[in-house]
Structure formats: C-alpha cells, structure tokens
Amino acid sequence: LSMRASLLANAGRNDEAAAAFKQILAQNPGDKRVLMNVVATLQQADKFAEANQLLQDARKRGMLTEAREYRSLYSGLLSTDDWKGAAEVIEEGVSKGLLPKDADLAKAWSVTANRAYFTDNLDAAAKYYQRAAEISADGEEYLNLAKVYDFQNKRAESRAAAQKALASGVANKAEAT
C-alpha cells in the first residue's frame, strides 16, 4: 500500500495517493512520516482544510517537532485565510525554538500581517509587521508598518517606522519620506 501511495503521488494522482496514505495512517496513527505524506498529497490536491485538520490534531498530540512541520501548518492555514490560527502556530514554533528568526519567518509574519490588514484588524497587522520588520533584511516591512500607522492616524509611530524603513534600506525611498 505504501508503494502504491508513493507511486500515485509521483504520478500526480494526489487524491488517490492521499486516500492510500490515509489507510496507512489509520493503521499507524503515530507515524509522523506517513502523516506528512498525507498532508503533502492533500496540499498538492488543494485540500488545505483537510490537511490543516490533520496537522492541528498532530500538533495537539505533540507530534510536530520540526520547523518544516510548523511551516507546513502555518502555510496551510494562511492558504485558507486563517491568519489568526497561523499567527498562533508561528508564535508557538518560535517560542519552542523550532522556527529560526530568518527570512522565512519574516515572510510568514509579513503575510500574516497582510491578511490581518485586509480583514481590517489594523492592530494585529501592526503587531505582525513589527515582528517581520525586526528580522527582515530590508526595510519593506517597516514601510508597511508605517502605512498601517498612518492609516490609524498614528503620525509619530508612522514617521518612526518610515525612518527605520529608510535606515534598513527600503527600495522605494520616496514612499518612506
């Protein structure tokens, strides 16, 4: 069954592969390798909600122990517009020391902030742009933070974030002034 599932996945027949991997997972619910195969095939079949549920269940059971597993979960949550769930997963991964403060984490915080912004949760957007900006290699997240503060009529905070954007090497300097 494992070989069949792998062959189906390699052939791009993700629905069938996911079904086969699920059968294996039902027999071995603690097998993280099989779990991640199910998740990967579900995600490739654009069944993010189902994959997210499996990963959330595994998270509750303490099975997620690697950065790639946390990334898979928060990426899936962002794909289904669950930015609040993604933020919770990212925070947990950081607090456990599993998610390093690198470009991937900066991008995750930035995408989370963006999703919060477009749901009119400006406080959350500012919080997550701030987190992204602190570890980002350029000043783009500080510029976005400045825009959020400006939209909230927080002029002093907006100016300070814009100055940090300039100091961090933002590409569009005119936009930060």
Side-chain angles (χ1 to χ4, degrees), residues 10-128:
N10 287 334
R13 294 168 56 183
N14 296 313
D15 288 329
E16 295 169 85
F21 280 128
K22 283 182 196 176
Q23 285 181 316
I24 299 167
L25 186 62
Q27 297 166 358
N28 306 295
D31 189 330
K32 189 164 52 168
R33 184 184 57 79
V34 174
L35 168 71
M36 295 310 292
N37 284 333
V38 174
V39 167
T41 55
L42 287 170
Q43 288 176 336
Q44 290 170 353
D46 292 330
K47 295 184 176 183
F48 291 101
E50 193 175 346
N52 293 345
Q53 185 60 52
L54 286 172
L55 284 170
Q56 287 285 33
D57 291 343
R59 178 176 159 230
K60 289 174 187 166
R61 293 185 293 157
M63 290 179 66
L64 303 187
T65 58
E66 298 177 36
R68 67 182 178 86
E69 296 159 355
Y70 273 83
R71 280 189 203 105
S72 184
L73 178 54
Y74 74 65
S75 296
L77 291 168
L78 288 170
S79 293
T80 60
D81 290 327
D82 182 3
W83 65 266
K84 289 179 183 179
E88 181 182 305
V89 169
I90 296 167
E91 287 173 358
E92 181 180 298
V94 169
S95 72
K96 288 183 173 184
L98 296 173
L99 294 175
K101 294 183 178 181
D102 60 8
D104 286 337
L105 183 60
K107 182 173 175 140
W109 281 131
S110 185
V111 171
T112 303
N114 192 290
R115 299 287 166 82
Y117 179 82
F118 284 108
T119 61
D120 292 327
N121 191 327
L122 299 180
D123 290 334
K127 174 182 173 181
Y128 300 131

